[in-house]
Structure formats: structure tokens, C-alpha cells
Amino acid sequence: METRFLGKSGLKISVLSFGTMTFGGSDFFQEIGATQVDEAQHLIDICLDAGVNIFDTADVYSNGLSEEILGKALGKRRSDVIIATKAYGRMGKGANDTGLSRYHLIRACEDSLRRLDTDYIDLYQVHGFDALTPLEETLRALDDLVRSGKVRYIGCSNYSAWHLMKALSVSERLNLERYVSQQVYYSLVARELEFELIPLSLDQGVGILVWSPLAFGFLSGKYRRGQSQPEGTRRAKIGDIGTVSDLEKGYDIVEVLHEVANNRGVSVAQVALNWLLRQSGITSVIIGARNEQQLRDNLGAAQWELTLEEVNRLNQVSAIAPIYPYWHQRKFGVERIPQ
């Protein structure tokens, strides 16, 4: 499997990552997946055989169970892989059991290390933006974790462009560790980050990890206009979590996905994943699976490439109207702002 450098770092990761939100199955996450240790070991074996070298989790996934199961399933193979986890979400009822304060971050990191049964975290990501904690405090705490050897690289997730740019500026000004990556939602039905977050990443050398590339299952091939929603799926049990803002346009995109998939003899999900791998600035796409069949199919997306004509078809059907100032720049500034 192809590997790419993670931002400006010297770390190379596979273009497909395996997300472990389906590990555990407690509370809200029971509708997403309830994979336990034995099945997790089997799925990890398949990933490693395919060339996947990075596994993504978070402390809030099943209230820590995802991390515990990942650690047990990896066992002695821990040193052969890259573990990425996240902190920010509420992990208790106390006033300091959430956010990105020094207090919470250091405690959260130590808890994650214990659950993962490891001495270090390869990529430690903040799971959201904390507007109530000074960025200097957050970044100094993360810098301390790197200098202590508990963390090797740091990243962010779900930041806006100005959040990320401000964080990079603070790191440069104070000579602190900088975010090497951002983990973002990106799919054919959600291309908003192309206005700012992707150009920022290209300009500043920040890697991009994509979460929910199939829009919470909407782009898996199971959903068609005019057809009843399949039972037993995450979307059927939970509903949409905000991944599809325009359902009718989403169905238009799905129709083109089916046409391309049928012509190429691959699954709809593979086409949606392959399109992401062809986009500028993308380092790795995080796939998740509740069973071997889903996993093997998703892994197949890295074995072939869409043609330029197919990419353009998908680009056209999924294009979104630019907001200001981008419509103005595209109309009057193309000579000095190449797209």
C-alpha cells in the first residue's frame, strides 16, 4: 500500500488508516459497533497484511473501551504500528474532565497510555477546539508530553481554519511542537473544507486524515433515492449525525457513484474512497468496519485508481457553490490566486 509523509514530519503512514470507533460498543457507540478483542485481532491482521500501518482511536470511543481493546488486540505488535488517539471529550462528571487544559490533557494522556498498554502515543490529537482554554496552555502541555517521550507527534481535529492557523502561529512564536496533521470530515457530500482547510494544509505543510469518508454509511452503496432505508445500519438506528446536509443532492452523487462502480466492476464504497485519495493534500483516509467483508472491500480502494474523467464526473456532481470571498476570488482573482 502507498505511504505518504504526514505533513512536514518525517513520519510515513499508509494512505488508508483503520479507525476503531467500532471497538467496544458501550453507550452511544453500541449502535456503531461492538467489536471485541478476538474479532479486533482478526481485523488488525487483515489490515497489517494489506499494508495499513496506522490505527486511530480516541478516549471517548466507548468511554475508553476502544483504546483498551486496540491495545490488547495489538499485543506484541504494538511497536510495528502507529497508534493515533485523541483527547478533549468528557471523560467524567468533574469540572476538569473535559477540554484542553493542561490538567485534563496530561491526565487524559496518562489514562490513554494505561488503556493502550503502551509507553508512548505516536500521534496525539486534540479532538476539538477549546475556546475556553488559552492555546498557549494547550500547546505547552502537548509540547511537554512530546519532550517527556509520552507522545511523538501532535495533531488536531475538527478545527476551523483560523483555529489551526492561530495554533501554528503560537507554536512558531513560542518554539513549541506544532500540529503535524488535522483530522477532518471530508466526503463527496461534504466538500466545504476545500475552501480553507485544504489550502491551509498545503500552504503550511499539515497532513490531512479524513474521518467518515463514506458519510456515516450514506456513500456505502446501501442508500438509493426512492428505496426504503436498510434495517440494522447505523443510519437506521441513530439517524444522520450531520454528515449529509443536502439529501437530494446526495442521491444525485450516489447515482453517479453507482454508474462508475458498475463500469469499473468495483463497489460504490471503493469509488467514494478512491475519489478522496485523488484529492490534493490528503495523507490518509480512515476506514472503519464491523466485519471482515466490509474491511476487505474498503481496503480494495487502494488497489486501483479512478481515471481523470471519472474524477471530473464526481467533482461536477458534488460541487458546491463557493461562498464569499471565494466566489469573488474565482471570478476576479484567478490570475493571482491559482486554484
Side-chain angles (χ1 to χ4, degrees), residues 257-258 260-272 274 297 300-301 304 306:
L257 282 171
H258 274 278
V260 173
N262 290 335
N263 290 337
R264 296 299 295 266
V266 297
S267 69
V268 168
Q270 283 191 28
V271 177
N274 197 282
D297 182 70
W304 59 281
L306 289 165

Side-chain angles (χ1 to χ4, degrees), residues 301-321:
Q303 304 300 315
W304 59 281
E305 276 195 0
L306 289 165
T307 66
L308 182 59
E309 180 183 358
E310 290 167 335
V311 171
N312 287 337
R313 281 194 68 194
L314 291 166
N315 285 346
Q316 290 170 7
V317 72
S318 63
I320 55 178

Side-chain angles (χ1 to χ4, degrees), residues 82-281:
I82 295 160
I83 291 180
T85 191
K86 300 180 281 295
Y88 168 82
R90 180 162 289 282
M91 293 298 290
K93 297 180 180 180
N96 294 303
D97 290 335
T98 185
L100 300 178
S101 67
R102 170 180 291 275
Y103 178 94
H104 181 67
L105 268 180
I106 292 178
R107 182 178 181 181
C109 181
E110 291 172 346
D111 288 344
S112 288
L113 288 168
R114 173 180 49 79
R115 286 190 292 263
L116 288 162
D117 192 23
T118 184
D119 296 325
Y120 63 95
I121 294 167
D122 298 288
L123 177 62
Y124 199 45
Q125 303 158 106
V126 295
H127 212 162
F129 185 74
D130 183 351
L132 303 179
T133 300
L135 267 171
E136 290 82 354
E137 178 179 343
T138 297
L139 292 165
R140 283 192 186 277
L142 292 170
D143 187 76
D144 287 345
L145 289 171
V146 172
R147 293 178 186 276
S148 71
K150 295 178 180 178
V151 169
R152 293 185 170 173
Y153 299 92
I154 61 172
C156 63
S157 181
N158 303 314
Y159 271 34
S160 69
W162 77 264
H163 293 155
L164 177 52
M165 194 63 238
K166 183 176 180 180
L168 295 174
S169 177
V170 170
S171 291
E172 182 177 7
R173 175 167 54 85
L174 300 179
N175 195 30
L176 301 173
E177 283 291 317
R178 77 194 301 269
Y179 293 139
V180 298
S181 62
Q182 59 168 328
Q183 191 174 135
V184 296
Y185 171 50
Y186 187 27
S187 74
L188 274 163
V189 292
R191 297 178 57 185
E192 294 85 357
L193 80 168
E194 293 175 5
F195 291 125
E196 291 193 349
L197 285 169
I198 289 180
L200 189 158
S201 284
L202 292 170
D203 181 70
Q204 295 294 312
V206 177
I208 297 177
L209 308 175
V210 176
W211 63 262
S212 199
L214 299 180
F216 211 55
F218 184 76
L219 301 176
S220 64
K222 300 175 184 176
Y223 301 88
R224 302 288 294 272
R225 180 184 279 113
Q227 297 184 5
S228 59
Q229 184 170 256
E231 297 180 0
T233 63
R234 286 179 292 174
R235 297 185 71 87
K237 294 177 180 179
I238 302 173
D240 186 72
I241 60 171
T243 55
V244 184
S245 58
D246 187 336
L247 193 59
E248 286 306 309
K249 182 170 184 175
Y251 283 131
D252 291 340
I253 295 167
V254 167
E255 290 306 309
V256 176
L257 282 171
H258 274 278
E259 291 174 13
V260 173
N262 290 335
N263 290 337
R264 296 299 295 266
V266 297
S267 69
V268 168
Q270 283 191 28
V271 177
L273 293 170
N274 197 282
W275 178 84
L276 282 167
L277 293 176
R278 297 290 305 275
Q279 302 310 301
S280 297

